[in-house]
Amino acid sequence: MATYIPPTRVENPYLPFGDQRSSPFYGRDIISVKQFSRNDLEYIFGVAHEMREMVQRVGTFDLLKGKILANLFYEPSTRTSSSFTSAMERLGGSVIPINEVRHPEVGASALAARYARKPIINAGDGVGEHPTQALLDLFTIVEELGEVDGLVVTMLGDLKYGRTVHSLARLLSLYNIRLNYVSPDVLRMPAEIIAELNENGISQTESAGLDGMLPESDVLYVTRVQKERFGDQAEYESVKGAYVIMPDTLRRAKEQMIVMHPLPRVGEISMEVDEDPRAAYFRQMEYGLYVRMALLAMVLGKA
Ligand code: NCD
């Protein structure tokens, strides 16, 4: 008869409770959405949900006491950098802010990760990726709508230079969804992303107008035209006001649809829309805090 021998786990007596390095993300870099599986996402969202409950219950707690986050932002990014700062501070850690150095290169964080001994989290690299924003975008959809499979997501605005839509489209392709892209011709979703998603069997439709797409949408994801990425300012002027969401626009949308925006907005959603319960963009920013808390706790082995 075989005797069952339980697996042994060597626990470090010098580490405080909960710090047993069991997180699958312990010590890892967060560089690209391409590194995540659906299981990973479920794990992250589970931790983020717990963070949400903890913040609502106690506000701040000492999970990362003694840990230091170096917040390196090479381009202006008020929301993302303050979201990381508050995430670290709510977990009891501290932050060294380093700003004002221009460095908008795609791939910069992957390069840093190759040489750094500490985990690197990509908070947006030029027009490349913005994985923490995509995670918080998807977490918003999960918390607000309950399910991702079966949804129709319509992305609107600057789909060429908007890095958030690039990362989000890739993450969504892990699910059974349909994507609509609405943009001026010069700001269409890059062909390589469309091709990549095609290979995953995702149905994608491009259009210059929102009208036909809106009634079937469960999520309307609006982006600003990324002025700073244009070489030709006349081209920016010609497309900057291409779409404006007004209360009237939403009359043709589903009751349960959510309107998202990574912020800042510069006129693509009228302020009158803020009163509509479907306007999820301020709640979306709050979900970002919980996702970043989850990521920080996970890479430091505390979740
Ligand atoms: C976005 C970004 O930085 O790419 N903002 C954000 O993540 N809060 C979108 C934008 O700047 O328009």
Side-chain angles (χ1 to χ4, degrees), residues 79-80 130 133 163-164 224 226 262-264:
R79 268 141 294 265
T80 305
H130 199 345
Q133 180 71 38
R163 55 194 181 182
T164 71
R224 78 179 163 93
Q226 309 273 305
L263 303 177

Side-chain angles (χ1 to χ4, degrees), residues 95-136:
V95 179
I96 307 172
I98 302 170
N99 298 315
E100 314 299 345
V101 194
R102 299 291 296 183
H103 190 319
E105 254 166 55
V106 174
S109 47
L111 186 65
R114 205 185 311 153
Y115 296 102
R117 284 187 298 120
K118 302 293 177 194
I120 298 276
I121 301 178
N122 178 4
D125 54 345
V127 293
E129 282 225 40
H130 199 345
T132 67
Q133 180 71 38
L135 289 170
L136 81 87

Side-chain angles (χ1 to χ4, degrees), residues 32-34 129 166-167 169-171 173 181 189-202 204:
S32 164
V33 289
K34 291 182 187 164
E129 282 225 40
H166 302 164
S167 289
R170 286 186 167 122
L171 260 199
S173 72
Y181 305 131
M189 183 61 93
E192 65 270 21
I193 295 185
I194 296 187
E196 200 181 303
L197 268 63
N198 258 335
E199 291 207 351
N200 290 357
I202 300 295
Q204 305 164 86

Side-chain angles (χ1 to χ4, degrees), residues 5-273:
I5 305 169
T8 48
R9 186 157 157 234
V10 183
E11 303 211 334
N12 183 339
Y14 298 101
L15 293 173
F17 171 73
D19 192 352
Q20 301 303 337
R21 309 301 196 230
S22 57
S23 159
F25 290 90
Y26 171 58
R28 277 174 62 186
D29 305 303
I30 308 289
I31 302 296
S32 164
V33 289
K34 291 182 187 164
Q35 72 192 84
F36 301 117
S37 67
R38 271 182 77 145
N39 275 349
D40 291 334
L41 297 176
E42 261 170 47
Y43 185 90
I44 296 168
F45 296 157
V47 178
H49 190 81
E50 276 178 42
M51 293 297 178
R52 181 185 187 184
E53 289 181 343
M54 284 294 280
V55 169
Q56 282 162 0
R57 227 177 311 138
V58 296
T60 298
F61 44 103
D62 272 350
L63 196 65
L64 297 187
K65 194 171 180 200
K67 302 286 185 190
I68 299 173
L69 168 71
N71 226 2
L72 271 80
F73 279 82
Y74 294 95
E75 289 189 293
S77 179
T78 321
R79 268 141 294 265
T80 305
S81 68
S82 41
S83 176
F84 270 107
T85 300
S86 51
M88 195 61 181
E89 291 186 353
R90 282 199 182 271
L91 291 165
S94 41
V95 179
I96 307 172
I98 302 170
N99 298 315
E100 314 299 345
V101 194
R102 299 291 296 183
H103 190 319
E105 254 166 55
V106 174
S109 47
L111 186 65
R114 205 185 311 153
Y115 296 102
R117 284 187 298 120
K118 302 293 177 194
I120 298 276
I121 301 178
N122 178 4
D125 54 345
V127 293
E129 282 225 40
H130 199 345
T132 67
Q133 180 71 38
L135 289 170
L136 81 87
D137 289 342
L138 194 57
F139 183 58
T140 302
I141 296 174
V142 172
E143 294 281 294
E144 296 268 326
L145 300 177
E147 270 248 62
V148 184
D149 283 321
L151 297 182
V152 176
V153 178
T154 298
M155 298 179 167
L156 171 103
D158 185 346
L159 308 184
K160 178 180 181 186
Y161 297 118
R163 55 194 181 182
T164 71
V165 284
H166 302 164
S167 289
L168 180 59
R170 286 186 167 122
L171 260 199
L172 283 169
S173 72
L174 294 174
Y175 295 82
N176 179 18
I177 48 108
R178 278 201 293 126
L179 277 169
N180 293 324
Y181 305 131
V182 181
S183 72
D185 194 51
V186 291
L187 297 179
R188 285 165 61 187
M189 183 61 93
E192 65 270 21
I193 295 185
I194 296 187
E196 200 181 303
L197 268 63
N198 258 335
E199 291 207 351
N200 290 357
I202 300 295
S203 140
Q204 305 164 86
T205 310
E206 290 188 273
S207 165
L210 179 61
D211 281 5
M213 310 288 178
L214 191 63
E216 64 165 10
S217 302
D218 299 292
V219 175
L220 175 63
Y221 191 103
V222 184
T223 62
R224 78 179 163 93
V225 178
Q226 309 273 305
K227 183 178 184 186
E228 67 277 26
R229 311 284 179 211
F230 282 75
D232 174 1
Q233 283 308 300
E235 186 167 82
Y236 168 72
E237 293 299 328
S238 73
V239 289
K240 71 174 184 199
Y243 308 98
V244 181
I245 307 298
M246 306 290 289
D248 229 31
T249 322
L250 296 184
R251 274 213 249 138
R252 287 172 296 107
K254 288 185 185 175
E255 281 279 307
Q256 302 303 326
M257 187 188 80
I258 54 171
V259 184
M260 298 175 63
H261 191 303
L263 303 177
R265 73 172 147 187
V266 282
E268 3 6 83
I269 303 177
S270 140
M271 274 154 75
E272 293 162 68
V273 172

